[in-house]
Every structure is written in C-alpha cells, then in structure tokens.
Amino acid sequence: MTTIIENILTRRSIRSFKKDQISEEDLNTILMAGSYAPNGMGTQSWKFTAIQNAQTMKKVNAAIRQSLLSVPIVPETHPYIVSLIEKAKDENADFLYHAPTFIIVSNLKDNGNSMPDSALAIGNMMLAAHAFGIGSCWLNQLPGLTHMPLIRELLNDLDIPENHIVYGSFVMGYGAEEPKPAAPRKDVINIIR
Ligand SMILES: Cc1cc2nc3c(=O)[nH]c(=O)nc-3n(C[C@H](O)[C@H](O)[C@H](O)COP(=O)(O)O)c2cc1C
C-alpha cells in the first residue's frame, strides 16, 4: 500500500487533545497542503484562518455558545441541534474540544464552488496533519451559524472578509485518545464496465 493510501485509511476524527501546541513548521505545511486542493476555476478564493491564541479561542467558543442559545427550538429542530443548544446552556461548554489549534475555512458567499472547494481544502489539511501524527476533527457549529449577526461580528474581528462565510472549520492537536476504529464501509461502489 502506498503511503498516501495508508494515510487516508488510518485518519480518524480526534475529539480529545493534549495541551501541546503543534509546531509552526507543521502548521505552515498543513495550511499549504490546504491551498493545493483542487478548486473550481482555480480561483483560490478561500481563506484559512488559524487560531492558536487562547483568548481568541475563548472568544470563538463564546460566540458559538451565545449564538446557539439564541436559536429557537421548534418541533422541526433536528435532535442534534437541540443537543447542542442544551450543551450551550452550560457556561463552561467547550465547542472546540479544548484543542490547541482551530482552523476556519471561509470562502465567497453565493458561489457554487465555495463549499466543495473548502471541503477539499479541509480534507487535504486533515490528511497532512495526520501525516505529522496530528489529530483533527471537523466542527460544524461555526459553519451552521455563519449567517448570525454575532458570528459575523466575530468574523470581522478575525479579519474574515465581508463577502465570505464559513464553509468549514476543524480543530487540530496531538490526540489524547485512541480513536475508534473506522466504521465498516457501506456498499456504495458501483463499477460499470
Ligand atoms: C461535514 C462534516 C461535519 C462534521 N461535523 C462534526 C461536528 O460538528 N462535530 C464532531 O465531533 N464531528 C464532526 N464531524 C466528524 C464526523 O463525525 C466523522 O468524520 C465521521 O463520524 C467519520 O469518522 P472519522 O472521521 O473518524 O472517519 C463532521 C464531519 C464532516 C465531514
């Protein structure tokens, strides 16, 4: 098996992290790997915002928490969202898994390629991180709340352009847990010869 295939097959989401920060060199290489992802029309219109500052992490977490608390629960609300809103009621709730590094991938609003481009970039970054023994996990809260005024204020503070929204975000760091084995793969392949 080639190294890249082994890397793809062994990456797992990590949700518990050691306090140790990843090196600047590894961070730069991971972000560069994101920037080499395929992207529609080659626009590279994404922006990768890396946060390693504890105060800024707290600010992000607080904005997520406050925004969740303002989401009304209606009968149609998905049970997962209800559980997040319930979690937000705890003032110590941490939506970033206490990770040392958080990456926000923003991209142009109202652009059909923004979502696939951003997801491909995150995939590249997660695999690059895994190659360095660094764990990661996609976090969907910020993308889900990206249109809320409090989150827009946060994005302004983080120098994320006005014409961008968040399409994906993920945490990174050295894992403090043994990840669960991959779920059995579903039978989704159809080869037509
Ligand atoms: C679009 C997307 C959204 C996700 N959102 C979350 C999330 O909000 N919180 C979380 O803990 N994991 C999240 N995940 C991670 C998935 O739960 C995980 O990738 C999946 O269970 C497969 O496990 P694996 O990554 O270990 O292979 C997300 C993954 C993707 C691709």
Side-chain angles (χ1 to χ4, degrees):
M1 191 154 49
T2 61
T3 313
I4 187 151
I5 299 298
E6 193 176 330
N7 178 282
I8 290 168
L9 299 189
T10 56
R11 181 213 54 81
R12 295 274 74 77
S13 294
I14 298 294
R15 297 182 176 85
S16 171
F17 296 92
K18 295 180 181 162
K19 291 205 182 313
D20 315 52
Q21 188 53 275
I22 66 175
S23 72
E24 192 179 336
E25 196 186 351
D26 286 357
L27 175 65
N28 286 335
T29 307
I30 291 164
L31 295 169
M32 182 186 61
S35 77
Y36 274 78
N39 56 103
M41 320 260 298
T43 55
Q44 298 181 46
S45 52
W46 45 40
K47 182 167 182 177
F48 309 149
T49 303
I51 303 172
Q52 295 191 313
N53 174 283
Q55 277 312 108
T56 310
M57 295 283 240
K58 275 192 187 153
K59 221 159 112 175
V60 172
N61 190 56
I64 292 174
R65 191 177 152 255
Q66 288 304 328
S67 300
L68 279 169
L69 287 174
S70 71
V71 174
I73 299 179
V74 293
E76 297 77 36
T77 310
H78 191 280
Y80 179 64
I81 305 296
V82 175
S83 75
L84 289 175
I85 297 168
E86 287 303 323
K87 178 176 170 179
K89 289 179 182 165
D90 175 359
E91 61 178 27
N92 296 315
D94 186 88
F95 290 93
L96 306 177
Y97 293 138
H98 300 284
T101 297
F102 181 52
I103 311 285
I104 298 172
V105 175
S106 63
N107 210 332
L108 297 174
K109 353 176 179 184
D110 308 323
N111 179 327
N113 288 331
S114 287
M115 186 45 168
D117 290 356
S118 302
L120 282 164
I122 293 179
N124 268 17
M125 289 191 264
M126 287 178 156
L127 290 175
H130 182 48
F132 293 129
I134 295 166
S136 65
C137 186
W138 183 304
L139 293 183
N140 234 13
Q141 287 75 54
L142 203 49
L145 300 167
T146 189
H147 292 288
M148 299 193 74
L150 196 60
I151 299 298
R152 185 61 250 176
E153 271 176 42
L154 172 78
L155 303 187
N156 292 345
D157 285 353
L158 299 174
D159 286 330
I160 293 178
E162 270 293 339
N163 61 349
H164 274 205
I165 56 171
V166 180
Y167 286 90
S169 70
F170 65 103
V171 280
M172 275 197 299
Y174 293 102
E177 64 174 3
E178 207 37 60
K180 289 188 207 145
R185 297 296 98 177
K186 294 186 178 171
D187 182 15
V188 294
I189 297 167
N190 179 22
I191 302 174
I192 299 169
R193 293 199 170 91

